Amino acid sequence: MPSPEFPLLERDREQAVLSAMIGELGSARPSVVTVTGEPGLGQNALLHWATARAEQAGLRVLTARATPAEDQLRYGVVAQLLTGEDRDLAPRLFLAQDQSGGGLPGLGGLLTAARDRPTLLVVQDVQWLDVASLRWLEALVRRLPRVPLALLASSTGAAITRPEWSVGTSLTSVVSTIELALPPLTASGTADAVRAVCGTPGDAAFTAAVADATRGNPAVLHDALERFTREGHQPRAEYVEHLRALTTEVVGDHAAKALSELRDPAAVAALRALAVCGDLLDFPLVCGLAGPHAVPEARLRAALQASGLTTLKDGAPYIRDSVVRARVLEEMPAADRADLYARAARLAQRVAADDQGIADLLLLARPVGAPWAVDTLRRGFTAALRGGHRERAAGYLARALDEPLDAETRARVEFQLASVEMVSVPAAAERRLHGLIRTPGTGLRSRAVDLCLLGGDTRSARLALAENAGLSGPAGDDVPRERPHRGRADPEPLTPPRAPGTHAAAHCPSTTRAEALPESPSLAEQHEMTALLRIGHSLRHDETELDILPAPALPDHSHSPAVAGLRAWQHAVAGAHIDEARRLARAALAPDPDGRPPLVVPRLFACRTLLLTDDGDEVETRIAEMLSEAHRERSSIAVAHLLCVRADLHIRHGRPDAAGRDLAAAEAELPPASRHPLYLPYWIALNVVADLQRGRIDRAAETAARPVPRLAQECATTGYLLFAQGVLARVRDDPYQAREYFRAAGRWLLRFGCHNPAELPWRSLAAEAGHTLGDSEEALRLAREELSLARRWGASSTLGRAELGLAMVVADQRVEHLRAAVATLSEAPARTDYTRAVLELASAERDEADRRSVVSLSTAGSILPGDLAATLLADTAGHDGRPRPTPPAAAARPAPQVPAAWRGLSDAEREAAVLVTRGLGNREIATILSVTTRTVELRLSGVYRKLRIRGREELRALAQGSEGS
């Protein structure tokens, strides 16, 4: 059992005042004390304590309690007070036959009796006093100075009619009047309560959670802890959430009890209106919403305060607790509740209240059938998304669909809602989009398929094809099965893989089965659907599945940007016709000649193409434009994919910090749990490579080791994850694992028709690993194959990287190949490969000089100067991104040799270490490598840790010792 002293925790001051009042009454000094506060703070417990003290002191004590059920009963409280003294008094009170005391029944007799024996009157809950009892007590208080009698009362909130004995009234100067306002328990008092009920002290976290959940209310605290203890729990931190749930139940039960005691229909109606829109409308408007009634506003305010269900906010009644609001409304019939919300929304709209507040009312209202409702819900949707409340935003649009809408507006709202649900509930989004695809004339069919492809739904394209052909029936489940592998004798079709970052790819095999789409209302839409159908066809992962209709061929002549984007990517993955690929990609990014809204997936194909053609600056500009458009459209899934493509661009150009920021932003837009399994490998691969470039090897390994769903192991982007795992093994100095991963990545890319080494240079990296393992023949074959394909494509970064890869595995003319790589990569935007080529050439030239015992690096026609730092500084000095000529003095100095002890460093750490040995500061190194100063500091910390040295001086000494060895 809980301690009987529990309700009196932290009430020492109030007990002292009441003790003094009882003592003074024994000395014939009357007084009036009122104990006030919110429900549950222990007012009546204090009155019970005072009653016991007064009886112990030999005082006569008369008690009564006012209730809502008797607030209309004449002299109900007076009868309770006096019946114990005179059992025959009650009939006279109610019949008003006792005229003693100036027309106030029983008052004269009470005053006479009090002169013989000091008397204490205790009245609980005076906020519910009936009018006759209130006037009787006020008359009694006016006579107190002449008799040894005291009045002790309690109240919750504000009394409906303020008694004359309240502090600040005219009686204050006539008799001693005290008002004790009870505060909630402090943290210390809450801890004492936990110890009293649970029998043991609570954890600090538990006690803090209890104080927060109960707001220091002793009644709520007692009931919640008692239930908690009955269930056998201990006051420890692991039970905090369970305690919160119990507290919610207790608050609701207390609210239900208070609501059951509220009998005034006008007060009940006002309370319900207040629960619906008290946060949005002023109290006079809330009273008007409650309906016509004869009760004055002041009396409604007092009744609501007296119920204990409201508090004051800016001088008006306010329901603070959401649990109380729910309990107030839950007993209403559902139809009446929906009608109340609808009337509140209309009223709020007429007084121009906040849009989002009106939208919140409309969420629970019946359809109002007015255009303003849809407009308000759509504005609320925008505001909610801007605030990051995606689920609430989706709720606004879903509610808008309950209103009567024309076909065009309904389709647009459905599409906008699907774009939001694609992140949180993709299954619901797909159903909405499938409905749009089946509905002709909306102008949104292509965009619906485009959004489905971004979300990983490949059924939409087949559904569109069936609908165009006049067929019906649901599309089959998009469950990929084991795809048969081709033998080496089987010719590889020249078909593109799915574009990483676009989550779509397009096979374009030649086929005699290809048929044109049936006639449609718009030729432009027909061409868009054709391109999207080819993309969806390539994502099925099951070539053995029979189609209802064959996939249509791309039109030979089309002005559609979607077709241009797909054709550009086909050239890119095939690794041929770079100029035509660039032209088509730019056409795909241009506005549609028919003025149709642009699609996302084909433009992502175009951006990927320009990325492979070394037009990175143009890609960055285009992606920025598309991001602005996606933000305006509130399409989080499009934003996430665009950020991933830009992160890929940053990684290729040696900007890992920028890539990390974009990947983090993409994760905020599309959390990992919301990503389709088909796209996970590409996202993981980007994170792994970005972490490796920043020297975070352990984090990269942890990311690469995360399990992925089975579906994610069967998609086109699996090749990118395999490649990233190969890079990780290479950094860890495990050439055998690296070669196996690179080979697997190559097989996967070839399986999906990607031959262009610009996408992933798996051949050259597999060749380097093989060369390390002693397999020179295969290493040369792979390196030469990549060089041949790179020449066919013609991009500087691809060609230079292939030349560098060949230089790393050839036995003869290594310096010449490295010089060619440096010359080619100096024209490329990617600085990481260029820096590596510079380092390797410097080392190779030094080795050659040692063998010949001649320093010949300053000869005419030499491409690489000996001083690496001077070269890099000259390179960064230009405004056009091209390397500047090196000062003549620098050309005469010998090139540094990369120390053997540095082989365990990552490429990024080795770059920073070499620049430190050249005497450059962190800020200069950051400028050269296009990273932040903090990144340079982190890379150097990794260098010092791995080499077991303490700073720059030891690093320079180590480098000099290696050169002299």
Side-chain angles (χ1 to χ4, degrees), residues 490-578:
D490 295 335
E492 289 284 351
L494 198 61
T495 54
R498 179 164 69 84
T502 65
H503 314 311
H507 287 293
C508 187
S510 59
T511 174
T512 58
R513 300 190 304 152
E515 300 177 8
L517 283 171
E519 185 177 352
S520 62
S522 169
L523 182 62
E525 183 183 83
Q526 181 179 352
H527 288 180
E528 287 177 349
M529 295 296 291
T530 301
L532 294 173
L533 287 170
R534 302 296 303 181
I535 293 169
H537 181 71
S538 68
L539 290 175
R540 283 166 40 206
H541 306 290
D542 190 353
E543 293 180 345
T544 64
E545 183 177 345
L546 296 178
D547 281 330
I548 298 175
L549 286 178
L554 288 174
D556 293 332
H557 303 286
S558 175
H559 297 291
S560 171
V563 174
L566 181 54
R567 288 197 183 280
W569 182 246
Q570 289 175 349
H571 287 303
V573 294
H577 312 298
I578 187 172

Side-chain angles (χ1 to χ4, degrees), residues 37 41 175-176 181 278 310 330 337 348 474 494 504 533 556 606 638 752 759 783 848 885 958:
L41 292 182
V175 66
S176 175
T310 65
E330 68 182 6
R337 187 165 56 245
L494 198 61
L533 287 170
D556 293 332
F752 284 87
E759 184 65 3
E848 182 176 317
L958 181 62

